[in-house]
Amino acid sequence: MRVIAPEPDSAEDSTDAPPRAFHSIARLFARFGRGALGIVYPPQCIACNSATGEPHALCSTCWAGIPFISDPVCARLGTPFAHDFGPGMLSPAAIADPPRFDCARAVAIHEGAAKAMVARLKYGERLDLARAMARMMVQAGGPLLACADVLVPVPMHRGRLWQRRYNQAALLANEIGLLAGKPVLLETLRRVKRTPPQVGLSRNERRSNLAGAFRIEPGQKAVVEGRHCLVIDDVRTTGSTLNACAHILRQAGAARIDVLTFTLVPDGA
């Protein structure tokens, strides 16, 4: 098992620590270096590349264009309601086709700047976006993170991972783990079947496509047994992939399985 967990804070007081004057000078040079770097490479919006006042931030236009999700939402799927029907209300989709996970939340609808950020991280090799997106996910998934024991990123088949060189779900999970102080299980859930891309497939086709695609690695059942698992991914469409992951985790004995993504497609299209 490979677990990524936050490193403990190092001791600040030490008999070998340099004098405070040295730290002050070091901070001064660090500020000067950042300022000089900002002149040569001015900070840009992480979504549209326009100028911003701070690095790794969104411009005001893109920020205003993100369709953030807020209450009221479906208690299971996290999809937004047009009207407040009271706490615990389920959407027609959650009633007609209950998910295999317990609860799901997302930062935004998969549109506009939010959709652009997912695409840049996933296909544009903008790995720097993971930290900014993770900060938003920590805020959106606060209650789920508070009771989660472990974070489980949706795994990528090793063949596709070899081609892309990174798994965006794992990047997000690692950043969220660092921010929230939660361990990340990178090698517990494995994708053993290389399935065709899900884009363009119907809900039923997606489910059939994912049959037998995931498994718990040998000897790893004890890592999730009786624990609250929070599955991490970049986007949720029909939920078929997340349902498949939840099914395997449930078989391994997970006590509860929640889902946190950056965006969601409300109608599963």
Side-chain angles (χ1 to χ4, degrees), residues 12-265:
E12 293 183 0
D13 297 326
S14 171
T15 55
D16 298 327
R20 290 186 177 181
F22 176 84
H23 289 297
S24 299
I25 295 172
R27 284 195 295 268
L28 181 62
F29 275 104
R31 292 194 195 101
F32 176 79
R34 285 194 297 268
L37 189 63
I39 295 173
V40 179
Y41 300 104
Q44 295 179 322
C45 173
I46 57 178
C48 71
N49 290 335
S50 62
T52 59
E54 297 290 335
H56 309 295
L58 288 164
C59 68
S60 58
T61 301
C62 286
W63 181 266
I66 291 183
F68 288 106
I69 296 172
S70 59
D71 289 333
V73 298
C74 170
R76 291 286 305 270
L77 297 177
T79 50
F81 287 138
H83 305 285
D84 192 349
F85 300 103
M89 182 60 66
L90 299 179
S91 64
I95 296 172
D97 188 17
R100 288 178 168 176
F101 47 81
D102 294 284
C103 180
R105 291 294 182 268
V107 173
I109 302 298
H110 193 65
E111 297 173 355
K115 181 178 179 179
M117 292 171 68
V118 169
R120 282 171 175 253
L121 173 64
K122 195 168 189 173
Y123 304 114
E125 299 189 359
R126 285 289 306 274
L127 278 60
D128 58 304
L129 292 178
R131 172 61 63 90
M133 294 167 69
R135 284 198 295 264
M136 296 186 213
M137 292 172 74
V138 167
Q139 185 173 2
L144 302 186
L145 280 163
C147 56
D149 295 315
V150 293
L151 308 183
V152 185
V154 172
M156 184 180 290
H157 187 270
R158 63 176 179 269
R160 187 159 290 149
L161 183 60
W162 176 263
Q163 290 179 333
R164 189 176 293 174
R165 301 187 300 279
Y166 65 92
N167 177 5
Q168 71 278 356
L171 292 177
L172 291 170
N174 283 339
E175 294 291 351
I176 293 169
L178 290 171
L179 292 168
K182 299 291 181 177
V184 182
L185 305 182
L186 293 176
E187 297 179 357
T188 299
L189 185 62
R190 183 75 66 183
R191 191 164 194 152
V192 295
K193 176 183 174 184
R194 183 168 184 173
T195 57
Q198 298 278 80
V199 178
L201 299 181
S202 68
R203 186 181 298 271
N204 290 334
E205 288 172 336
R206 285 172 180 256
R207 288 176 177 171
S208 178
N209 190 36
L210 290 165
F214 301 96
R215 77 174 184 197
I216 297 292
E217 284 289 84
Q220 295 294 304
K221 182 179 178 181
V223 180
V224 299
E225 191 171 14
R227 309 191 82 180
H228 178 170
C229 299
L230 182 58
V231 181
I232 305 295
D233 206 359
D234 56 343
V235 58
R236 188 180 100 229
T237 50
T238 65
S240 298
T241 298
L242 295 161
N243 274 328
C245 291
H247 175 63
I248 299 302
L249 291 169
R250 191 86 67 187
Q251 284 186 328
R256 180 181 173 93
I257 303 155
D258 292 328
V259 166
L260 179 60
T261 62
F262 185 71
T263 61
L264 70 82
V265 181

